[in-house]
Amino acid sequence: MHAGRGWPTLAHAMTTARRPAPAPSGSFEYRLQRTPVGVVILDVCRRVTAVNAVAGRLLRLRDANPLGVDILDLHPSAARARVRWLIDAAENADDGTAGMVVTTPMGSLVAKVTLLGDGGFCMMFHALGDLPMAGDAAADRPRLLKLPIHRGSATALVDISDVLCLSARGHYAEALTAAGVHLCPLPLAKLEERLDPLVFVRIHRRHLVNLRHVRAVERVDGRWTLALTGEHTPARIPVSRDKVDLVRRLLAV
């Protein structure tokens, strides 16, 4: 039957089909829709046969051509054993899938591998938590080793490992250490971009917590909180509802 005589055209159907309502900004669904996912396809010999642009950024390929390259050669040496184990686990799993956290030049990623029907593999990965994935400019920023804090008219530097928690304070941040609370002249969002996302985790819109200094996890009236080491810490640091699953995975609670 010709278009226009009882049957809608494809274009008409596409324009009149009901589209799902966009998720509210800031919600888990909103972030899920906007989270870039890297995809790499491997052949039976575990060589790259296809890669999308997001994977290229995450693996820092830039102008390099990864096609035909062993997937292990695209990861730092410290992460290769884990990547090999991940692919082996998917190959031997009953459902042909496996997942874990792996380390790449850009940072820590959640990776999942699926065994394909032809014996190859599909690798999919995305940033852990709120790790920036906008592009190479963010990826090239070096990790912070020292944190600047105000002490009177001078700027002092403290070791990142000594920072228990960072909290938003207007356009700046408050750094909590064993010695007390200090004002840092950098905003929380900028600090988050420069810190290891497996160590400093955004558990709340106002708080970045050093998980190495968490001494207890409590759930009261359905609300999750973290207790930190040190006598100067607040009674509890709240965990946002959308961060509970991430905190539970990282702390195995």
Side-chain angles (χ1 to χ4, degrees):
M1 183 176 292
H2 295 291
R5 296 184 180 180
W7 292 95
T9 64
L10 177 60
H12 176 74
M14 292 177 65
T15 56
T16 58
R18 181 181 297 273
R19 295 181 179 179
S25 177
S27 68
F28 172 78
E29 292 81 7
Y30 176 83
R31 292 194 306 276
L32 185 63
Q33 292 170 7
R34 295 176 61 88
T35 297
V37 177
V39 179
V40 178
I41 305 299
L42 310 177
D43 62 17
V44 294
C45 296
R46 305 183 180 184
R47 294 172 302 206
V48 177
T49 61
V51 57
N52 72 346
V54 174
R57 293 201 303 271
L58 293 174
L59 296 175
R60 305 289 294 278
L61 299 178
R62 289 192 172 93
D63 297 327
N65 182 5
L67 300 185
V69 176
D70 189 306
I71 185 61
L72 298 183
D73 293 337
L74 300 180
H75 289 80
S77 56
R80 291 174 185 173
R82 302 183 71 193
V83 175
R84 182 186 297 109
W85 178 91
L86 177 61
I87 299 174
D88 289 342
E91 188 172 33
N92 296 309
D94 292 339
D95 62 354
T97 63
M100 69 184 302
V101 175
V102 298
T103 300
T104 73
M106 187 173 178
S108 298
L109 308 172
V110 176
K112 187 166 186 178
V113 175
T114 299
L115 180 65
L116 302 178
D118 61 358
F121 302 88
C122 174
M123 299 186 70
M124 301 181 66
F125 42 92
H126 59 86
L128 179 64
D130 295 324
L131 179 68
M133 297 177 63
D136 289 337
D140 287 336
R141 293 171 187 166
R143 297 287 186 210
L144 284 179
L145 299 178
K146 298 280 188 175
L147 184 76
I149 60 172
H150 287 320
R151 282 183 178 169
S153 60
T155 298
L157 298 173
V158 298
D159 288 337
I160 287 297
S161 59
D162 292 336
V163 178
L164 283 62
C165 177
L166 290 160
S167 300
R169 182 179 174 184
H171 296 295
Y172 303 105
E174 284 184 339
L176 178 65
T177 70
V181 178
H182 316 276
L183 181 64
C184 174
L186 299 174
L188 198 64
K190 293 296 183 182
L191 291 170
E192 186 177 13
E193 294 176 359
R194 302 282 302 278
L195 296 171
D196 186 341
L198 271 183
V199 178
F200 282 86
V201 176
R202 189 75 166 263
I203 67 166
H204 187 276
R205 64 183 178 83
R206 294 190 63 249
H207 303 292
L208 272 172
V209 168
N210 185 339
L211 294 187
R212 290 173 177 162
H213 288 286
V214 175
R215 62 177 174 81
V217 180
E218 292 189 5
R219 185 180 182 186
V220 180
D221 296 330
R223 295 285 185 174
W224 287 73
T225 60
L226 302 182
L228 306 180
T229 58
E231 60 183 22
H232 295 285
T233 60
R236 294 292 182 269
I237 304 293
V239 180
S240 296
R241 292 186 184 276
D242 61 340
K243 298 293 184 180
V244 170
D245 287 343
L246 175 62
V247 169
R248 295 186 66 180
R249 290 199 306 270
L250 293 176
L251 297 179
V253 294

